[in-house]
mmCIF file of all heavy atoms in Angstrom:
data_model
loop_
_atom_site.group_PDB
_atom_site.id
_atom_site.type_symbol
_atom_site.label_atom_id
_atom_site.label_comp_id
_atom_site.label_asym_id
_atom_site.label_seq_id
_atom_site.Cartn_x
_atom_site.Cartn_y
_atom_site.Cartn_z
ATOM 1 N N ALA A 28 -52.126 50.898 27.662
ATOM 2 C CA ALA A 28 -51.939 50.784 29.160
ATOM 3 C C ALA A 28 -50.574 51.073 29.614
ATOM 4 O O ALA A 28 -50.271 51.051 30.754
ATOM 5 C CB ALA A 28 -52.404 49.397 29.647
ATOM 6 N N GLN A 29 -49.542 51.455 28.696
ATOM 7 C CA GLN A 29 -48.241 51.675 29.115
ATOM 8 C C GLN A 29 -48.089 52.936 29.901
ATOM 9 O O GLN A 29 -48.887 53.865 29.665
ATOM 10 C CB GLN A 29 -47.320 51.692 27.842
ATOM 11 C CG GLN A 29 -47.130 50.330 27.240
ATOM 12 C CD GLN A 29 -46.291 50.349 25.979
ATOM 13 O OE1 GLN A 29 -46.154 49.298 25.335
ATOM 14 N NE2 GLN A 29 -45.649 51.451 25.526
ATOM 15 N N ALA A 30 -47.086 53.085 30.642
ATOM 16 C CA ALA A 30 -46.734 54.282 31.492
ATOM 17 C C ALA A 30 -46.292 55.425 30.526
ATOM 18 O O ALA A 30 -45.743 55.221 29.429
ATOM 19 C CB ALA A 30 -45.737 54.023 32.474
ATOM 20 N N THR A 31 -46.557 56.690 31.026
ATOM 21 C CA THR A 31 -46.014 57.815 30.289
ATOM 22 C C THR A 31 -45.139 58.657 31.370
ATOM 23 O O THR A 31 -45.166 58.255 32.481
ATOM 24 C CB THR A 31 -47.177 58.750 29.889
ATOM 25 O OG1 THR A 31 -47.735 59.364 31.003
ATOM 26 C CG2 THR A 31 -48.169 58.015 28.994
ATOM 27 N N PRO A 32 -44.470 59.717 30.857
ATOM 28 C CA PRO A 32 -43.702 60.523 31.847
ATOM 29 C C PRO A 32 -44.581 61.219 32.808
ATOM 30 O O PRO A 32 -44.042 61.713 33.842
ATOM 31 C CB PRO A 32 -42.947 61.520 30.890
ATOM 32 C CG PRO A 32 -42.873 60.781 29.565
ATOM 33 C CD PRO A 32 -44.148 60.054 29.459
ATOM 34 N N CYS A 33 -45.880 61.334 32.622
ATOM 35 C CA CYS A 33 -46.827 61.910 33.615
ATOM 36 C C CYS A 33 -47.194 60.791 34.533
ATOM 37 O O CYS A 33 -47.896 59.787 34.069
ATOM 38 C CB CYS A 33 -48.058 62.512 32.831
ATOM 39 S SG CYS A 33 -47.671 63.802 31.735
ATOM 40 N N PRO A 34 -46.817 60.882 35.807
ATOM 41 C CA PRO A 34 -46.975 59.718 36.670
ATOM 42 C C PRO A 34 -48.369 59.117 36.798
ATOM 43 O O PRO A 34 -48.550 57.885 36.943
ATOM 44 C CB PRO A 34 -46.517 60.219 38.037
ATOM 45 C CG PRO A 34 -45.666 61.396 37.775
ATOM 46 C CD PRO A 34 -46.179 61.973 36.468
ATOM 47 N N ASP A 35 -49.385 59.919 36.655
ATOM 48 C CA ASP A 35 -50.844 59.358 36.797
ATOM 49 C C ASP A 35 -51.386 59.012 35.493
ATOM 50 O O ASP A 35 -52.541 58.524 35.512
ATOM 51 C CB ASP A 35 -51.705 60.465 37.507
ATOM 52 C CG ASP A 35 -51.235 60.817 38.919
ATOM 53 O OD1 ASP A 35 -50.648 59.930 39.537
ATOM 54 O OD2 ASP A 35 -51.486 61.944 39.315
ATOM 55 N N TYR A 36 -50.717 59.187 34.450
ATOM 56 C CA TYR A 36 -51.278 58.910 33.112
ATOM 57 C C TYR A 36 -50.665 57.716 32.381
ATOM 58 O O TYR A 36 -49.419 57.579 32.270
ATOM 59 C CB TYR A 36 -50.977 60.103 32.109
ATOM 60 C CG TYR A 36 -51.876 61.276 32.333
ATOM 61 C CD1 TYR A 36 -52.614 61.571 33.436
ATOM 62 C CD2 TYR A 36 -51.944 62.205 31.301
ATOM 63 C CE1 TYR A 36 -53.349 62.698 33.566
ATOM 64 C CE2 TYR A 36 -52.711 63.468 31.416
ATOM 65 C CZ TYR A 36 -53.380 63.619 32.533
ATOM 66 O OH TYR A 36 -54.159 64.739 32.665
ATOM 67 N N ALA A 37 -51.517 56.766 31.988
ATOM 68 C CA ALA A 37 -51.125 55.719 31.056
ATOM 69 C C ALA A 37 -51.295 56.369 29.606
ATOM 70 O O ALA A 37 -51.868 57.481 29.465
ATOM 71 C CB ALA A 37 -51.922 54.496 31.165
ATOM 72 N N VAL A 38 -50.879 55.630 28.547
ATOM 73 C CA VAL A 38 -50.965 56.205 27.259
ATOM 74 C C VAL A 38 -52.419 56.567 26.850
ATOM 75 O O VAL A 38 -52.667 57.595 26.275
ATOM 76 C CB VAL A 38 -50.375 55.175 26.253
ATOM 77 C CG1 VAL A 38 -50.718 55.592 24.780
ATOM 78 C CG2 VAL A 38 -48.941 55.031 26.378
ATOM 79 N N HIS A 39 -53.403 55.757 27.307
ATOM 80 C CA HIS A 39 -54.807 56.085 26.919
ATOM 81 C C HIS A 39 -55.251 57.330 27.645
ATOM 82 O O HIS A 39 -56.030 58.092 27.082
ATOM 83 C CB HIS A 39 -55.740 54.914 27.235
ATOM 84 C CG HIS A 39 -55.846 54.473 28.684
ATOM 85 N ND1 HIS A 39 -56.837 54.976 29.448
ATOM 86 C CD2 HIS A 39 -55.124 53.631 29.400
ATOM 87 C CE1 HIS A 39 -56.660 54.317 30.680
ATOM 88 N NE2 HIS A 39 -55.627 53.602 30.670
ATOM 89 N N HIS A 40 -54.722 57.663 28.823
ATOM 90 C CA HIS A 40 -55.047 58.874 29.515
ATOM 91 C C HIS A 40 -54.376 60.045 28.695
ATOM 92 O O HIS A 40 -54.987 61.098 28.586
ATOM 93 C CB HIS A 40 -54.394 58.935 30.934
ATOM 94 C CG HIS A 40 -55.080 57.896 31.850
ATOM 95 N ND1 HIS A 40 -54.364 56.979 32.485
ATOM 96 C CD2 HIS A 40 -56.367 57.634 32.171
ATOM 97 C CE1 HIS A 40 -55.123 56.288 33.204
ATOM 98 N NE2 HIS A 40 -56.379 56.615 32.967
ATOM 99 N N MET A 41 -53.122 59.895 28.336
ATOM 100 C CA MET A 41 -52.424 60.951 27.542
ATOM 101 C C MET A 41 -53.230 61.266 26.228
ATOM 102 O O MET A 41 -53.413 62.484 25.894
ATOM 103 C CB MET A 41 -51.016 60.496 27.184
ATOM 104 C CG MET A 41 -50.159 61.589 26.465
ATOM 105 S SD MET A 41 -50.120 63.176 27.406
ATOM 106 C CE MET A 41 -49.192 62.644 28.839
ATOM 107 N N LEU A 42 -53.663 60.212 25.538
ATOM 108 C CA LEU A 42 -54.418 60.441 24.335
ATOM 109 C C LEU A 42 -55.759 61.127 24.626
ATOM 110 O O LEU A 42 -56.170 62.032 23.969
ATOM 111 C CB LEU A 42 -54.631 59.057 23.669
ATOM 112 C CG LEU A 42 -53.401 58.476 23.019
ATOM 113 C CD1 LEU A 42 -53.693 56.983 22.719
ATOM 114 C CD2 LEU A 42 -53.024 59.220 21.719
ATOM 115 N N GLY A 43 -56.341 60.773 25.774
ATOM 116 C CA GLY A 43 -57.590 61.508 26.077
ATOM 117 C C GLY A 43 -57.380 62.900 26.482
ATOM 118 O O GLY A 43 -58.157 63.802 26.124
ATOM 119 N N HIS A 44 -56.230 63.207 27.140
ATOM 120 C CA HIS A 44 -55.851 64.556 27.458
ATOM 121 C C HIS A 44 -55.657 65.408 26.165
ATOM 122 O O HIS A 44 -56.053 66.486 26.066
ATOM 123 C CB HIS A 44 -54.614 64.585 28.342
ATOM 124 C CG HIS A 44 -54.153 65.968 28.705
ATOM 125 N ND1 HIS A 44 -54.896 66.787 29.433
ATOM 126 C CD2 HIS A 44 -52.951 66.528 28.492
ATOM 127 C CE1 HIS A 44 -54.295 67.906 29.658
ATOM 128 N NE2 HIS A 44 -53.063 67.774 29.075
ATOM 129 N N LEU A 45 -54.959 64.767 25.187
ATOM 130 C CA LEU A 45 -54.673 65.455 23.919
ATOM 131 C C LEU A 45 -56.068 65.758 23.230
ATOM 132 O O LEU A 45 -56.257 66.813 22.635
ATOM 133 C CB LEU A 45 -53.824 64.592 23.034
ATOM 134 C CG LEU A 45 -52.360 64.651 23.483
ATOM 135 C CD1 LEU A 45 -51.559 63.481 22.780
ATOM 136 C CD2 LEU A 45 -51.758 65.961 23.099
ATOM 137 N N VAL A 46 -57.060 64.820 23.228
ATOM 138 C CA VAL A 46 -58.303 65.049 22.675
ATOM 139 C C VAL A 46 -58.999 66.282 23.352
ATOM 140 O O VAL A 46 -59.469 67.231 22.637
ATOM 141 C CB VAL A 46 -59.276 63.848 22.806
ATOM 142 C CG1 VAL A 46 -60.705 64.162 22.420
ATOM 143 C CG2 VAL A 46 -58.780 62.759 21.915
ATOM 144 N N HIS A 47 -59.000 66.320 24.672
ATOM 145 C CA HIS A 47 -59.705 67.286 25.432
ATOM 146 C C HIS A 47 -58.971 68.667 25.344
ATOM 147 O O HIS A 47 -59.685 69.720 25.157
ATOM 148 C CB HIS A 47 -59.813 66.897 26.949
ATOM 149 C CG HIS A 47 -60.666 65.691 27.058
ATOM 150 N ND1 HIS A 47 -62.014 65.637 26.725
ATOM 151 C CD2 HIS A 47 -60.365 64.451 27.635
ATOM 152 C CE1 HIS A 47 -62.418 64.488 27.027
ATOM 153 N NE2 HIS A 47 -61.540 63.773 27.565
ATOM 154 N N LEU A 48 -57.655 68.662 25.363
ATOM 155 C CA LEU A 48 -56.908 69.972 25.298
ATOM 156 C C LEU A 48 -57.089 70.517 23.909
ATOM 157 O O LEU A 48 -57.115 71.715 23.727
ATOM 158 C CB LEU A 48 -55.514 69.918 25.749
ATOM 159 C CG LEU A 48 -54.425 69.287 24.815
ATOM 160 C CD1 LEU A 48 -53.872 70.335 23.863
ATOM 161 C CD2 LEU A 48 -53.254 68.657 25.602
ATOM 162 N N ALA A 49 -57.062 69.654 22.829
ATOM 163 C CA ALA A 49 -57.227 70.170 21.502
ATOM 164 C C ALA A 49 -58.636 70.864 21.363
ATOM 165 O O ALA A 49 -58.708 71.878 20.773
ATOM 166 C CB ALA A 49 -57.051 69.085 20.517
ATOM 167 N N ALA A 50 -59.612 70.244 21.875
ATOM 168 C CA ALA A 50 -60.985 70.870 21.804
ATOM 169 C C ALA A 50 -60.957 72.143 22.607
ATOM 170 O O ALA A 50 -61.581 73.127 22.156
ATOM 171 C CB ALA A 50 -62.060 69.858 22.327
ATOM 172 N N ALA A 51 -60.406 72.136 23.806
ATOM 173 C CA ALA A 51 -60.431 73.348 24.636
ATOM 174 C C ALA A 51 -59.746 74.508 23.883
ATOM 175 O O ALA A 51 -60.202 75.621 23.927
ATOM 176 C CB ALA A 51 -59.773 73.056 26.009
ATOM 177 N N PHE A 52 -58.568 74.235 23.372
ATOM 178 C CA PHE A 52 -57.813 75.301 22.763
ATOM 179 C C PHE A 52 -58.348 75.699 21.352
ATOM 180 O O PHE A 52 -58.158 76.785 20.970
ATOM 181 C CB PHE A 52 -56.314 74.970 22.749
ATOM 182 C CG PHE A 52 -55.582 75.223 24.042
ATOM 183 C CD1 PHE A 52 -55.430 74.169 25.015
ATOM 184 C CD2 PHE A 52 -55.276 76.545 24.505
ATOM 185 C CE1 PHE A 52 -54.808 74.457 26.286
ATOM 186 C CE2 PHE A 52 -54.710 76.736 25.734
ATOM 187 C CZ PHE A 52 -54.526 75.659 26.588
ATOM 188 N N ARG A 53 -58.985 74.735 20.730
ATOM 189 C CA ARG A 53 -59.727 75.155 19.515
ATOM 190 C C ARG A 53 -60.777 76.164 19.860
ATOM 191 O O ARG A 53 -60.829 77.183 19.187
ATOM 192 C CB ARG A 53 -60.387 73.873 18.913
ATOM 193 C CG ARG A 53 -61.351 74.161 17.765
ATOM 194 C CD ARG A 53 -62.308 73.004 17.559
ATOM 195 N NE ARG A 53 -63.201 72.824 18.765
ATOM 196 C CZ ARG A 53 -63.906 71.732 18.973
ATOM 197 N NH1 ARG A 53 -63.734 70.633 18.262
ATOM 198 N NH2 ARG A 53 -64.584 71.663 20.132
ATOM 199 N N ASP A 54 -61.515 75.880 20.895
ATOM 200 C CA ASP A 54 -62.578 76.796 21.251
ATOM 201 C C ASP A 54 -62.057 78.141 21.823
ATOM 202 O O ASP A 54 -62.625 79.143 21.684
ATOM 203 C CB ASP A 54 -63.668 76.071 22.237
ATOM 204 C CG ASP A 54 -64.359 74.907 21.529
ATOM 205 O OD1 ASP A 54 -64.326 74.780 20.253
ATOM 206 O OD2 ASP A 54 -64.903 74.127 22.207
#
Side-chain angles (χ1 to χ4, degrees):
Q29 290 180 186
T31 73
C33 297
D35 297 332
Y36 283 20
V38 169
H39 63 95
H40 298 122
M41 182 59 63
L42 291 163
H44 181 59
L45 285 163
V46 169
H47 297 300
L48 80 84
F52 282 99
R53 171 201 64 201
D54 294 345

